Amino acid sequence: MSSNRPNDQIDGATKGGANDVAPSQRFSDVPSTLDIPVHIEQKNEDDDAEAVEIYLENLSDPNELCSLLEIERAAPTYWMSVALAYAKQSKTDYAIETLIRGRNAIQDNDSKGRLSIVSFLCWMYLWKCREAPRLASEGVLVSEAKTKEYYLQLAVSTLNDASRINPSFPPLFLARGVLYLLRASLQAPSKARAASGASVDSEKADLLRRALESFEDAIRVSRGKNMLAVMGKSRVLFSLGKYSEALAGYQEVLAKMPDFIDPDPRIGIGYCLWKLGFKEDAKVAWERSLEINHKSKIATVLIGLYYLDASSSTPIESPDFIRIYKKAMTEYIQKSFKLDSNFPLTCATFAGYFLSRKSFPNVDSLSNKAIQYTDLNVIASDGWYLLGRKEHHAGNLDRASDCYRRADDARGGAESGYLPAKFGTAQLLILQNDIGEAKLCLEKMVQHSRNYEATTLLGTLFAEEAFANEYTAPKEDKSAQRAIRLLESVRAAWKDSRNSHLPDATVLLNLARLYETEYPEKALQCLLQVEQLEIDRIAESEDHIGKKDKSGTQTALRNALRDFIPPQLTNNIGCFYFQANDYELAGEMFEAALSACMRLGEEDDDDDTDIDALITTISFNLGRSYEARDLTDQAIEVYERLLKHHDNYTDARTRLAYIKLCQSPQDKGPDSVAKLYEDNPTDPEVRALYGWYLGKVYSRRRPNSIAEDPELRHYKHTLQNHDKHDRYALVGMGTLYLQSAREMRRGTDQEKQKRSAMYSKAVEFFEKTLQLDPQNAYAAQGIAIALIEDKKDFQNALLIFLKVRDAIKDACVYVNLCHIYSEMRQYSKAIESCGVALSKEDKSNDPTILACLGRVWLNKGKADRDLNAYQMALECSQKALNAASEQVHLKFNVAFVQIQLATTMYSLSERQRSLQQLQDAAKGLEQAIAALDEIAAHPQCPYPKHDVDQRANMARNTLRKQLERAIASQKEYEEKNKEQLRAARERRQAELRRREEERQEALEKERERLARIKKEREEIAIRDRELAEKRVEEERVITAADMTTDSETGDKIKRKRKAPKTKGEKRPKNRSGKKGNADSEDADDEPLPKKRRLAKRESTKYKSAEIVADSDDDSVLQQTGLGLEKEYSPRSDRDSADEHDSDVGGVSDKTVEDEEPETGSRYRPQKQSRRTRIVDESDEDE
C-alpha cells in the first residue's frame, strides 16, 4: 500500500520544509482589540457615535465587560468576539459565561444572532467536556460534580435549543456529529459485545452511525468543502474498523488542504496505516506532522509509542533494546510531557515507565490523570491497570483486584477485555491461594488468545499440582500431561522468529522434573539446555570474558565455566547420565559439581546454601560412578573420606560393605555386612543388602520348606516390623515363592494344585509391588514368568516382556524372551534374543545364556530335522561347559545333545546322511556314555542317579548297535552307488564347465563392445574439439574484421554499423547509385529512383553465401564479416532455412559446418521454393 500512495498525501503536497506551511489557523480571526459602540446623548446630530476600545489580549473577569455589552445592547458579533478571545486564552469558563449572558441579552426577535451564540455555546460545552474529568473527585457528590457527562448533557441541551431555532443551520450538522462521536467514545463497552463476537457495541455503533449521518449532511450542505466534516467522517469510519475508507478520507483532506495542521490529517493517516499493518509508513506520517508543527504533542507521543513498540520485539539483553527504549522515552515521551503534562496518552505512557522504576507516587498521579482526562476507554483501561500494578506491588490485594477489574471492564471484560488485567487478577488469586479459580481464569485466556505469559503460568500451576500428587493419585491425575502440553507450547514459542521470547530456565526445570520418570532422555535435554543458558549468561559477564578468550573450543569453554554453574544443576545432569549408563560423563559432571561447591564455599560464607550437604551428596554420587567404571580403589577412597567427616553416613557404609563382600566373600565381606546390619537394623537399604547377602549364601543349599528359608524370613520380618510397603522385600518374597513353585513336583493333580497356589502367592506379592510402584519392571517380569510357567499364557507374557525390555537393560530380560519365543516355536527370534543377551557387557561367555542358546538350537533341530542345528546345539553346549567346567549339569547337556544327534542320524535315510557323519556321531555317542557314567558317580548329580544310569545303558546297548548297523548299511550303499555317483559327479562338472565357458565368451563379447564404443566416443570427442577450435578461430577473424582504426587516436575500435531500415522506409543512395555510408557527409538528401526486378532463389543442395562487395566499402573483408555475423548450429540451419531466406531476400549465409562437409555433418536437401519477391538494388548489393 505504501508503494502506491503518493508522497504528497503524507507530506502535505509541499516540496519545501516546515517553514513553507502556514501555522495553525485556529483563532486567527480573533482581533487584538474590539471597538464597542456606546449610546451617548449627542449634542449635534452630525457628530459620530463614540465607541469603547477593548483590548482582547489579556482579559480577566468578564462581569464588567458583559455588563457593558448588556447596557449597550451590543450585537451578537460583539458577544461572540469576546467569547472567542476568552477561548483563545483557554479561559473556557469565562467564554461560556459570556455566551450565556449574551444569549439572555439577545432579543427573541433576533433569531439569527441568538442561533449563532447558542451554537457557539454548544461548541464551548464540547470543548469543556474534553477538558473535564471522567469521575467525580473524592468528597464531591456525583450530582454536583462537573464531569464529562455533565458538560455533555449541557451540550445536548444547547444543541436542542439551537435546533428548535433552525434545524437546518449548517454548523449544527458538524456539532451534532462531534457530539455523537464524543458520546460514542465515552460509551462504556458492554459484555454483550464479547458474547456476540461483534467488534463494536451495538449502542456505540448506533451512535457512530448517527455521527456519520451528521458529518455526511455537513459535507452535502457545504458541497464537499467542509474538511472538518470529512475528517469527522474518517474518524467515525476508523472507530467502526473501516481503516481503508478512513485512510482515503484523511488523504482527501490532506490533498485539498495541505496546510491544514490543527487538526492535522497526517495524524489520522498514521493511525490508519498502523492499523493496516504499515507501521513504518505510519511513523513517516507522524514525523512529517512533527516536522510541520514542532509543538504537536500528539505526533510526538505517537512517534515515541512507535519506538516503544519496536523495543517490545527486541530481546531485553540486546543493546538495541536500551538504545530504542531510551530514544522513545527521552526524545519523544518526555518532550510530549513537557508540551502538555495533562495529555492522557502521555501520562499513561510515562506512568508505565515510572512503574518499571518503582516510582509509585509518580505512577499514582500520572495514572489518575490518564483516567480522568481521557475520552478513550482504552487509555482509561491502561490507567486502571497501572494503578492495579502499583497496589499489587504494595500488597493491597483488594484494591489491586478492583483496579484490575475496572481495567478489564473498560475494554469490554468477559472474553475480550484486557489480557494484562486478567493476568494480574490470576496472580492475585494465586496469592490468595485460590488456585482453582486462578486456573479457570488462565484457561479462558489461553483458550481465546494463546497468551505466552498465561500459558507459562498455567503450565507451572499444573506442574506444581502434578508434583504434589506424584505419590497420591498417579493414575487418575492428568495434571502432568496438561503441564507438559502447555510448557512444551511455551518452549516451541522460543523457536518462532516472529516472537522475541527468550528461553526460560524455570520452564525447562519444570519440564525436566515432569519427564524424569517416564522420559529421562527428554529430562536430560531440558537440563542441558538450562546449562547452556547459564554458560551463555556467565560467558557474557565481565568477570569471565577472559575465560572466553582463552578457551579455544566450545567444549573447553563449557568445561571452564562449569565451575560457575549452580552445583545442583550439574549434579542432576550427572545423575541422568548415570541412569543412561554413561558413567564417564556422569563422573565428569560430579567432579565439576564438586569444584563448584568448593568455589561457593570460598566465595560466600554467608549464603544459606548448605555447602556441606551438597559436597556429601555429590561425593557419594561420584563414588557410585567410580564403582560403575570398575574404579573400585577410587570409590573406596571417596567413601572412606566421606566417613571421616560423617561417620554415621549409612549409604557410604553400605557401599563399602558391598564392595568388601564382592572382593572377599569368605572373610571380610560377611563381617562387614553383619557389622553394618547390627549397627543399622532398621535402615531399609541396609536390610535390602542383608537380604541379598542371605540369598547369595543360601543359594546352593535351600531348605526343603520355604518357610524355613532365612532370606524369606528376613523379608517377612521387614514387612511385618519395619515397612509393610518395602518394595524390595515384596519383590524378594515373590521371587522366592516363584523359585519354590518351579521346583515343586507336578506328577499328580494335587501336586499341580499346590504348585499353582504357590505361583498365585508369588503373583500376589508382585501385584502389591506394582500397586505401590507402577513402573517396577522387576515385579512385572515376575508376573510374566508366572504366567508362562503356570498358565502357559505366552501372548500376555510376551507383551509384558517387551515392555520390560525397555526398562531393564539386563541380559536376563533377553534370556526370558528367548525362552518364550522358543516355547512359541519362533526359533529365529529366540536365537536373536540370545545373541543380544550375549552381546551385553561381560556376558559373551556366560554359561547360562550359552546353555539356553544350545537348547534353542536343539529344539530347532528336532522340529526341522536339521543336522546343522544339532551341530550348533552341540557347539553351544560345549562352549557353556568350557566356560564352567565344574558345573555337572552342563556336562549332562553335552551328553544329551550327542545322544539326540546320534538318534536323529540313525533315523535318516542313506541319501540324507554320509558315512563320515555317522562315524562322528558314533564317536560322540561314546563320549556321551562316558560322561553319563561320570555324572552318575558324581556326589552332586543334578538328576536321579537311576535315571542317568538308565540313559547311559540305553545308549550303550541300543544306540551303539543301531549306529553300527547304520554305518555298515551306509558303507554298502555308498559302495553300491559309487560308480553312479562318480558318473553323476562328472556330468555335473562337465555341465559346470560348459556354463563357465559360455559365461566367459559372453563377457569377452561385452568387453569388445565396450571397447568399440569407447573408441568411437574418443573419435567423436577429437572431432568435436577440432570443430570447436575452428569455430573459435573463425569468430576471432570475424571480430578482427569488425574492428577499424580510429583516425584520431590510432586505436582499434569497433566499426559502427548502419541503422536498420524500418518497413516502408526508403534507403538513401549516393550519386553513384550505390548505397552510401551512414557516416558520410557527401550523401545526397534526395534518393534516385529505384529499379526493381524479380529475384529468383536458386535451389541448391548446400546453402551458400552470396556476397557482393561494394566499391565504396572499406574492404571486402568487412562484407564477409557481415555475411558471417550470424552463426548458428546445424540443426537450426535445417529447421530455419525459410526464415533466413526471407531475411536476406532468398540468399542465406553459410556457417562453418556448411563449409566443411568432410567433417561428417549431414544436411537434408532444402525443398525448392517457388516464391519470389521484389528486391531493390540496395538489397541486391547485400
Side-chain angles (χ1 to χ4, degrees):
M1 181 176 180
S2 59
S3 60
N4 298 328
R5 188 183 65 255
N7 293 331
D8 57 1
Q9 291 179 348
I10 287 183
D11 296 341
T14 59
K15 304 301 181 182
N19 296 330
D20 298 333
V21 182
S24 173
Q25 301 296 320
R26 183 175 293 190
F27 302 116
S28 59
D29 295 336
V30 178
S32 58
T33 60
L34 180 65
D35 294 334
I36 300 176
V38 294
H39 297 81
I40 301 176
E41 184 179 352
Q42 298 178 359
K43 297 179 180 179
N44 191 348
E45 295 180 356
D46 296 334
D47 293 343
D48 295 336
E50 296 185 4
V52 177
E53 185 177 13
I54 305 299
Y55 292 94
L56 302 179
E57 293 295 335
N58 190 12
L59 296 176
S60 57
D61 191 357
N63 287 327
E64 295 182 0
L65 187 56
C66 289
S67 299
L68 175 62
L69 293 174
E70 289 173 347
I71 293 173
E72 299 300 332
R73 298 178 181 178
T77 55
Y78 294 101
W79 290 95
M80 296 177 65
S81 298
V82 172
L84 281 172
Y86 279 118
K88 183 178 182 179
Q89 300 172 22
S90 299
K91 298 178 180 179
T92 316
D93 292 332
Y94 289 164
I96 292 175
E97 182 180 350
T98 302
L99 291 172
I100 291 175
R101 294 182 67 173
R103 180 189 59 181
N104 297 332
I106 297 299
Q107 297 179 2
D108 295 337
N109 55 3
D110 190 3
S111 59
K112 183 177 181 181
R114 185 179 180 84
L115 179 61
S116 300
I117 290 180
V118 172
S119 62
F120 189 9
L121 181 60
C122 177
W123 282 107
M124 287 296 100
Y125 282 137
L126 291 176
W127 190 357
K128 190 63 177 178
C129 178
R130 296 291 303 275
E131 298 177 350
R134 291 170 64 98
L135 304 175
S137 303
E138 294 183 2
V140 180
L141 296 177
V142 177
S143 58
E144 299 178 358
K146 295 183 178 181
T147 60
K148 291 182 180 295
E149 185 64 26
Y150 170 79
Y151 287 105
L152 201 60
Q153 293 295 336
L154 291 178
V156 171
S157 176
T158 307
L159 184 62
N160 291 334
D161 294 341
S163 299
R164 294 187 189 98
I165 298 174
N166 185 3
S168 60
F169 187 49
L172 295 184
F173 295 125
L174 184 62
R176 187 176 292 105
V178 173
L179 177 64
Y180 283 133
L181 186 60
L182 188 58
R183 181 177 286 279
S185 178
L186 294 172
Q187 179 73 30
S190 63
K191 296 183 179 181
R193 174 179 66 88
S196 61
S199 59
V200 183
D201 293 341
S202 58
E203 297 180 2
K204 183 177 180 179
D206 183 60
L207 292 173
L208 291 174
R209 282 191 292 270
R210 294 182 184 180
L212 184 62
E213 293 174 359
S214 300
F215 288 130
E216 288 177 347
D217 291 340
I219 295 172
R220 186 188 68 257
V221 170
S222 65
R223 298 180 181 179
K225 296 180 181 180
N226 192 334
M227 293 298 101
L228 286 175
V230 176
M231 289 189 67
K233 178 181 177 181
S234 300
R235 177 66 178 84
V236 173
L237 293 173
F238 182 88
S239 300
L240 291 172
K242 301 177 181 180
Y243 306 118
S244 299
E245 299 179 20
L247 176 62
Y250 285 122
Q251 290 174 338
E252 177 188 353
V253 175
L254 188 60
K256 292 181 178 180
M257 296 186 65
D259 57 346
F260 197 23
I261 62 172
D262 189 16
D264 194 345
R266 299 167 188 83
I267 302 297
I269 290 175
Y271 273 127
C272 297
L273 291 174
W274 184 279
K275 283 293 186 179
L276 292 172
F278 302 99
K279 295 185 178 181
E280 290 293 334
D281 295 336
K283 185 192 73 166
V284 172
W286 294 331
E287 286 178 343
R288 179 56 180 164
S289 176
L290 187 61
E291 180 183 355
I292 295 173
N293 183 10
H294 296 287
K295 294 184 178 181
S296 175
K297 57 187 178 183
I298 180 63
T300 306
V301 72
L302 287 175
I303 297 174
L305 291 176
Y306 165 83
Y307 284 109
L308 284 179
D309 178 77
S311 67
S312 65
S313 59
T314 306
I316 298 178
E317 292 78 4
S318 173
D320 293 337
F321 173 82
I322 300 176
R323 178 181 57 81
I324 297 174
Y325 188 81
K326 185 177 180 181
K327 182 176 184 180
M329 298 307 302
T330 58
E331 296 184 17
Y332 294 101
I333 305 299
Q334 188 176 9
K335 179 182 176 182
S336 176
F337 187 76
K338 291 179 180 179
L339 292 172
D340 186 359
S341 61
N342 292 327
F343 190 52
L345 184 58
T346 306
C347 291
T349 308
F350 234 158
Y353 167 76
F354 284 117
L355 181 66
S356 63
R357 298 291 300 272
K358 291 184 172 55
S359 180
F360 297 117
N362 292 330
V363 174
D364 186 77
S365 61
L366 292 174
S367 299
N368 281 308
K369 282 185 179 180
I371 295 170
Q372 290 286 21
Y373 297 109
T374 184
D375 302 331
L376 302 176
N377 290 315
V378 291
I379 297 180
S381 175
D382 289 340
W384 285 116
Y385 172 71
L386 293 170
L387 283 178
R389 289 282 304 276
K390 178 187 78 73
E391 300 296 339
H392 190 166
H393 188 276
N396 301 326
L397 302 186
D398 294 337
R399 172 64 177 163
S401 178
D402 181 65
C403 293
Y404 286 147
R405 179 188 58 78
R406 293 192 178 195
D408 188 33
D409 292 342
R411 300 201 185 202
E415 283 78 7
S416 57
Y418 192 35
L419 284 179
K422 295 179 185 294
F423 188 77
T425 302
Q427 289 178 318
L428 293 178
L429 292 171
I430 294 173
L431 291 177
Q432 295 171 356
N433 204 25
D434 192 354
I435 305 299
E437 192 66 26
K439 288 195 295 185
L440 182 62
C441 179
L442 292 171
E443 284 176 347
K444 290 181 179 179
M445 293 176 61
V446 172
Q447 182 180 1
H448 291 91
S449 65
R450 299 290 180 185
N451 182 264
Y452 173 82
E453 289 79 8
T455 306
T456 304
L457 183 56
L458 182 59
T460 304
L461 291 178
F462 277 117
E464 293 294 335
E465 183 178 351
F467 300 150
N469 299 334
E470 187 173 3
Y471 299 106
T472 56
K475 293 183 180 179
E476 297 79 6
D477 186 47
K478 302 296 182 181
S479 301
Q481 288 80 1
R482 300 191 65 180
I484 290 174
R485 178 176 55 82
L486 291 168
L487 296 180
E488 281 293 351
S489 65
V490 172
R491 193 178 181 186
W494 303 338
K495 304 175 184 178
D496 192 352
S497 59
R498 296 171 297 178
N499 299 326
S500 61
H501 303 305
L502 297 177
D504 189 355
T506 306
V507 173
L508 293 170
L509 291 175
N510 283 328
L511 277 174
R513 189 173 175 185
L514 291 168
Y515 284 136
E516 179 180 1
T517 304
E518 297 185 0
Y519 307 100
E521 65 282 354
K522 293 184 179 181
L524 176 60
Q525 293 301 321
C526 293
L527 293 181
L528 290 176
Q529 190 173 354
V530 175
E531 182 193 35
Q532 186 61 47
L533 293 176
E534 291 292 329
I535 288 176
D536 294 341
R537 178 184 60 81
I538 296 171
E540 296 300 329
S541 62
E542 298 180 357
D543 299 337
H544 305 91
I545 293 179
K547 289 184 178 291
K548 185 176 181 180
D549 297 335
K550 293 178 182 179
S551 301
T553 62
Q554 186 70 19
T555 304
L557 175 63
R558 181 184 295 270
N559 295 332
L561 296 179
R562 270 184 181 145
D563 292 346
F564 302 92
I565 295 177
Q568 298 91 335
L569 174 62
T570 312
N571 176 70
N572 290 337
I573 294 175
C575 291
F576 278 107
Y577 277 131
F578 188 91
Q579 187 177 354
N581 298 330
D582 196 344
Y583 306 119
E584 191 73 27
L585 278 176
E588 293 179 5
M589 289 295 171
F590 295 141
E591 290 173 356
L594 277 179
S595 300
C597 288
M598 299 300 179
R599 182 189 59 82
L600 287 177
E602 294 174 358
E603 291 182 358
D604 193 0
D605 296 335
D606 298 333
D607 193 4
D608 295 336
T609 305
D610 192 348
I611 303 298
D612 182 67
L614 282 175
I615 293 175
T616 303
T617 302
I618 298 171
S619 298
F620 177 80
N621 292 340
L622 180 61
R624 293 287 289 115
S625 68
Y626 286 149
E627 278 191 77
R629 286 183 284 170
D630 293 332
L631 303 176
T632 309
D633 296 336
Q634 298 182 23
I636 292 174
E637 182 181 354
V638 171
Y639 295 143
E640 289 179 347
R641 188 166 57 248
L642 280 174
L643 291 174
K644 286 182 180 179
H645 293 84
H646 306 281
D647 54 354
N648 59 346
Y649 192 17
T650 308
D651 292 338
R653 291 187 61 189
T654 304
R655 298 312 304 174
L656 277 176
Y658 173 77
I659 293 173
K660 290 180 181 180
L661 186 62
C662 294
Q663 292 179 343
S664 304
Q666 302 299 331
D667 46 9
K668 294 183 179 179
D671 295 340
S672 299
V673 173
K675 182 68 168 62
L676 175 66
Y677 182 68
E678 182 181 354
D679 295 340
N680 302 277
T682 60
D683 188 274
E685 296 294 332
V686 174
R687 296 192 66 86
L689 176 63
Y690 191 70
W692 175 82
Y693 164 69
L694 292 176
K696 291 292 183 182
V697 171
Y698 296 98
S699 60
R700 295 185 179 179
R701 44 190 178 91
R702 293 284 181 185
N704 295 329
S705 176
I706 189 174
E708 299 176 358
D709 192 312
E711 184 181 2
L712 183 70
R713 295 171 64 182
H714 173 75
Y715 292 145
K716 189 175 182 180
H717 187 267
T718 300
L719 295 173
Q720 289 179 347
N721 301 322
H722 295 87
D723 185 6
K724 64 179 181 179
H725 295 152
D726 190 293
R727 287 168 288 178
Y728 187 86
L730 290 170
V731 173
M733 290 193 70
T735 304
L736 290 174
Y737 280 113
L738 197 65
Q739 293 175 358
S740 177
R742 186 181 296 122
E743 296 173 359
M744 293 178 66
R745 293 181 178 271
R746 47 186 179 275
T748 63
D749 293 341
Q750 185 178 2
E751 290 175 347
K752 290 180 180 179
Q753 290 179 1
K754 290 182 179 180
R755 185 171 179 267
S756 180
M758 190 66 70
Y759 276 118
S760 300
K761 200 166 188 179
V763 170
E764 289 179 3
F765 284 101
F766 292 138
E767 288 179 347
K768 179 63 176 178
T769 306
L770 289 175
Q771 290 177 3
L772 299 173
D773 182 12
Q775 305 297 327
N776 195 308
Y778 295 98
Q781 184 174 230
I783 292 178
I785 294 172
L787 287 174
I788 295 172
E789 296 179 357
D790 183 32
K791 306 294 184 182
K792 303 299 180 182
D793 189 355
F794 300 113
Q795 294 295 337
N796 291 328
L798 179 60
L799 295 176
I800 297 174
F801 277 129
L802 292 177
K803 292 181 179 180
V804 170
R805 179 183 58 183
D806 300 331
I808 301 178
K809 308 298 182 181
D810 193 75
C812 65
V813 181
Y814 294 94
V815 173
N816 291 330
L817 283 172
C818 176
H819 286 309
I820 193 171
Y821 280 132
S822 179
E823 293 293 335
M824 297 173 68
R825 299 182 181 276
Q826 299 180 14
Y827 301 114
S828 299
K829 292 184 177 181
I831 294 170
E832 181 183 356
S833 299
C834 267
V836 176
L838 288 172
S839 64
K840 295 294 181 179
E841 187 177 0
D842 298 333
K843 297 294 182 180
S844 58
N845 291 320
D846 188 274
T848 304
I849 302 176
L850 289 170
C852 178
L853 183 58
R855 179 174 175 272
V856 175
W857 279 114
L858 180 62
N859 292 335
K860 180 178 175 57
K862 287 181 179 181
D864 300 340
R865 297 180 62 83
D866 186 1
L867 294 179
N868 293 328
Y870 279 105
Q871 292 294 337
M872 291 298 300
L874 181 59
E875 181 181 347
C876 293
S877 300
Q878 288 174 346
K879 285 183 179 180
L881 180 59
N882 295 333
S885 56
E886 72 281 358
Q887 299 291 334
V888 183
H889 68 281
L890 297 179
K891 185 181 291 188
F892 177 85
N893 290 345
V894 175
F896 182 78
V897 174
Q898 289 172 336
I899 292 174
Q900 292 295 322
L901 178 60
T903 304
T904 304
M905 194 73 68
Y906 171 75
S907 64
L908 296 175
S909 63
E910 287 83 356
R911 289 178 297 176
Q912 295 176 327
R913 65 193 181 189
S914 64
L915 179 61
Q916 184 63 40
Q917 289 177 336
L918 284 171
Q919 291 173 352
D920 293 339
K923 184 179 178 180
L925 181 61
E926 295 299 329
Q927 294 175 358
I929 293 171
L932 290 175
D933 292 338
E934 293 178 2
I935 294 170
H938 198 278
Q940 296 180 355
C941 182
Y943 304 102
K945 183 178 180 181
H946 174 72
D947 294 344
V948 177
D949 288 336
Q950 187 177 4
R951 188 175 293 275
N953 292 331
M954 183 188 66
R956 186 182 297 112
N957 299 328
T958 305
L959 284 179
R960 180 185 291 173
K961 294 178 180 180
Q962 290 177 349
L963 282 181
E964 289 175 356
R965 289 194 299 269
I967 290 172
S969 175
Q970 190 71 24
K971 284 181 180 181
E972 181 181 356
Y973 174 79
E974 292 185 0
E975 287 294 337
K976 181 180 179 180
N977 297 282
K978 184 175 183 181
E979 290 299 330
Q980 296 179 357
L981 292 174
R982 183 183 60 80
R985 191 179 298 111
E986 289 178 356
R987 287 194 300 270
R988 177 63 178 169
Q989 291 176 356
E991 179 67 20
L992 291 176
R993 283 194 301 271
R994 186 184 63 79
R995 291 180 182 179
E996 181 65 20
E997 289 174 358
E998 291 178 355
R999 190 178 68 84
Q1000 292 296 334
E1001 184 179 357
L1003 290 176
E1004 183 64 26
K1005 290 181 180 179
E1006 181 66 19
R1007 282 194 293 268
E1008 291 177 358
R1009 188 182 68 83
L1010 294 176
R1012 185 172 62 256
I1013 292 174
K1014 182 178 180 182
K1015 184 178 179 181
E1016 291 176 356
R1017 288 177 177 174
E1018 291 177 352
E1019 292 176 355
I1020 293 173
I1022 293 173
R1023 185 166 62 251
D1024 290 343
R1025 284 197 297 270
E1026 292 176 355
L1027 290 175
E1029 292 174 358
K1030 288 181 181 180
R1031 180 175 296 179
V1032 171
E1033 180 63 23
E1034 290 176 355
E1035 287 179 354
R1036 188 187 62 78
V1037 172
I1038 293 172
T1039 303
D1042 204 26
M1043 303 296 289
T1044 186
T1045 304
D1046 193 347
S1047 60
E1048 297 179 357
T1049 61
D1051 298 335
K1052 288 288 185 179
I1053 61 174
K1054 189 173 182 179
R1055 191 183 307 276
K1056 296 181 179 179
R1057 300 193 180 276
K1058 288 174 280 188
K1061 183 179 71 173
T1062 60
K1063 184 176 181 181
E1065 179 184 356
K1066 296 182 179 180
R1067 188 186 300 271
K1069 297 183 179 179
N1070 54 20
R1071 294 179 181 179
S1072 62
K1074 299 293 181 178
K1075 184 173 55 177
N1077 194 345
D1079 296 335
S1080 176
E1081 297 179 359
D1082 300 333
D1084 193 359
D1085 295 338
E1086 296 182 3
L1088 296 176
K1090 293 185 179 181
K1091 296 180 180 181
R1092 300 182 179 273
R1093 70 179 179 84
L1094 292 176
K1096 184 177 181 180
R1097 182 174 58 184
E1098 296 181 358
S1099 175
T1100 59
K1101 183 177 181 181
Y1102 299 98
K1103 294 186 291 183
S1104 61
E1106 182 179 353
I1107 304 173
V1108 180
D1110 194 349
S1111 61
D1112 293 340
D1113 291 340
D1114 293 339
S1115 64
V1116 178
L1117 185 61
Q1118 177 181 1
Q1119 294 297 332
T1120 304
L1122 293 175
L1124 297 176
E1125 180 179 357
K1126 190 170 185 180
E1127 187 175 4
Y1128 41 86
S1129 64
R1131 187 177 67 175
S1132 65
D1133 291 338
R1134 296 193 301 270
D1135 297 339
S1136 306
D1138 292 341
E1139 180 182 350
H1140 288 287
D1141 291 345
S1142 63
D1143 291 341
V1144 296
V1147 181
S1148 61
D1149 297 337
K1150 185 174 71 175
T1151 63
V1152 177
E1153 289 81 352
D1154 295 331
E1155 295 176 356
E1156 300 291 339
E1158 66 276 12
T1159 59
S1161 302
R1162 292 170 296 187
Y1163 300 90
R1164 292 179 297 175
Q1166 301 294 323
K1167 185 177 180 181
Q1168 184 175 1
S1169 175
R1170 296 183 180 272
R1171 292 183 302 166
T1172 59
R1173 58 175 293 215
I1174 298 176
V1175 181
D1176 57 18
E1177 294 179 359
S1178 60
D1179 293 336
E1180 182 182 359
D1181 293 338
E1182 293 183 1

